[in-house]
Amino acid sequence: MEFPIVIGNWKMNLTPHESEIVAKKIVAGLPPQGVSAEVVLCPSFPSLEVVERVIAQSTISLGAQNFFWQESGSYTGEVSIKMLKEIGCGWSIIGHSERRIVLRENDDEINKKVKLALAYDIVPVICVGEKYEERQAGQKDFVIMKEVASALKGVDKFNRLVVAYEPVWVIGRGEAIDPEEAQSVATLIKYTLRDMYSHEVVDNKIKILYGGSVDDQNVSQFVDNELIQGVLVGGSSLKPETFLGIINKLTSKC
Ligand code: 13P
């Protein structure tokens, strides 16, 4: 059985000093030989280097929350994929709903970022999910299929990628969706991917995660290691005990 993936998205929380403390607590809580899960921490840009030093001797990987869709140049305030690669990022979240909504990131930019991440051998964690109004209007399936297809337009060669289903309306709510609904969306994502790639590619190279108010109490209901193979965690990843609890719950299932 493949290891489940547990990604902590710290968003715009924790200063570098606070990040160091939280990362140290997480490292200290894991056995030195590692766990039967792939654990990834995604701090904010200024905290990446300090977290990379803390996790260096552990099996935890470093991820970014975003980067710019051009490789380099006059883009004041932006961060390039090459910079992330050089400081040790192996993963990056792409197209999080907070970026799509607040920063108006569009499907075309997300698609360019996915291609750049793959070119730099960084695992893209592509976020998709419907807003509450879209759900109410019966557009959920359409939105998800469109977001998956446009993020992966023209993407044909890759070793690995991740699609994370995060229903926008449950992010940070403290109450996740019904696990059966998450499973049915994961099935929809899988069928959408099968329209684009062979079964072998979809089954072996793409993982589907769930995100949205995941904690150590509800995580086991979401990850079945078949359709949903991990979680993308926001608020609970800022609390070392809860984050470690999530990892423990998933690894005790393996
Ligand atoms: P919460 O776990 O705080 O709901 O956030 C989910 C999320 O947005 C992870 O990317």
Side-chain angles (χ1 to χ4, degrees):
M1 187 188 293
E2 288 193 58
F3 289 172
I5 300 174
V6 183
I7 304 178
N9 175 10
W10 289 357
K11 308 191 179 184
M12 200 178 72
N13 296 296
L14 307 179
T15 65
H17 179 60
E18 290 163 346
S19 300
E20 183 176 15
I21 294 170
V22 173
K24 278 184 174 164
K25 286 187 182 163
I26 293 171
V27 170
L30 292 176
Q33 71 276 18
V35 284
S36 41
E38 276 194 273
V39 180
V40 184
L41 292 180
C42 301
S44 59
F45 291 136
S47 298
L48 280 169
E49 284 200 273
V50 69
V51 171
E52 147 53 32
R53 281 196 291 277
V54 174
I55 63 177
Q57 303 306 320
S58 76
T59 52
I60 300 175
S61 303
L62 188 69
Q65 297 173 16
N66 178 47
F67 57 89
F68 194 54
W69 50 269
Q70 288 279 16
E71 270 188 281
S72 66
S74 304
Y75 302 102
T76 303
E78 294 297 333
V79 168
S80 78
I81 190 87
K82 207 169 166 182
M83 296 168 189
L84 298 178
K85 183 81 186 173
E86 191 174 304
I87 57 173
C89 286
W91 300 67
S92 183
I93 297 169
I94 296 178
H96 192 282
S97 59
E98 286 150 13
R99 295 198 60 80
R100 290 182 193 256
I101 297 166
V102 184
L103 294 141
R104 307 240 176 276
E105 202 165 282
N106 65 38
D107 286 336
D108 184 43
E109 289 163 344
I110 290 164
N111 176 246
K112 286 182 180 140
K113 291 183 188 192
V114 172
K115 288 177 177 161
L116 259 187
L118 294 171
Y120 279 83
D121 203 20
I122 285 183
V123 184
V125 179
I126 304 161
C127 298
V128 300
E130 81 286 2
K131 297 189 201 114
Y132 187 71
E133 313 81 79
E134 291 166 337
R135 177 189 169 82
Q136 292 303 94
Q139 295 165 347
K140 181 178 85 174
D141 290 6
F142 169 77
V143 168
I144 289 160
M145 289 189 291
K146 178 184 141 296
E147 288 184 348
V148 171
S150 50
L152 292 169
K153 196 170 156 203
V155 174
D156 44 18
K157 281 210 181 78
F158 54 89
N159 287 328
R160 230 185 146 183
L161 59 86
V162 171
V163 178
Y165 170 52
E166 296 204 312
V168 176
W169 50 284
V170 297
I171 291 178
R173 197 176 69 153
E175 199 184 318
I177 57 167
D178 188 342
E180 275 171 25
E181 188 175 345
Q183 304 281 345
S184 97
V185 174
T187 307
L188 174 74
I189 293 173
K190 202 144 204 173
Y191 282 126
T192 309
L193 292 167
R194 280 185 179 163
D195 278 346
M196 308 177 75
Y197 305 107
S198 69
H199 283 222
E200 201 208 336
V201 167
V202 175
D203 292 345
N204 299 326
K205 297 189 171 182
I206 307 180
K207 295 267 171 75
I208 299 172
L209 311 187
Y210 168 75
S213 295
V214 171
D215 59 28
D216 50 351
Q217 301 305 308
N218 63 19
V219 66
S220 308
Q221 300 164 22
F222 290 100
V223 181
D224 59 2
N225 288 325
E226 295 213 355
L227 262 174
I228 301 183
Q229 295 144 315
V231 279
L232 179 53
V233 188
S236 296
S237 68
L238 299 167
K239 302 176 210 144
E241 263 185 36
T242 315
F243 192 60
L244 288 164
I246 290 172
I247 297 165
N248 274 336
K249 283 271 169 68
L250 294 186
T251 51
S252 59
K253 271 177 121 186
C254 291

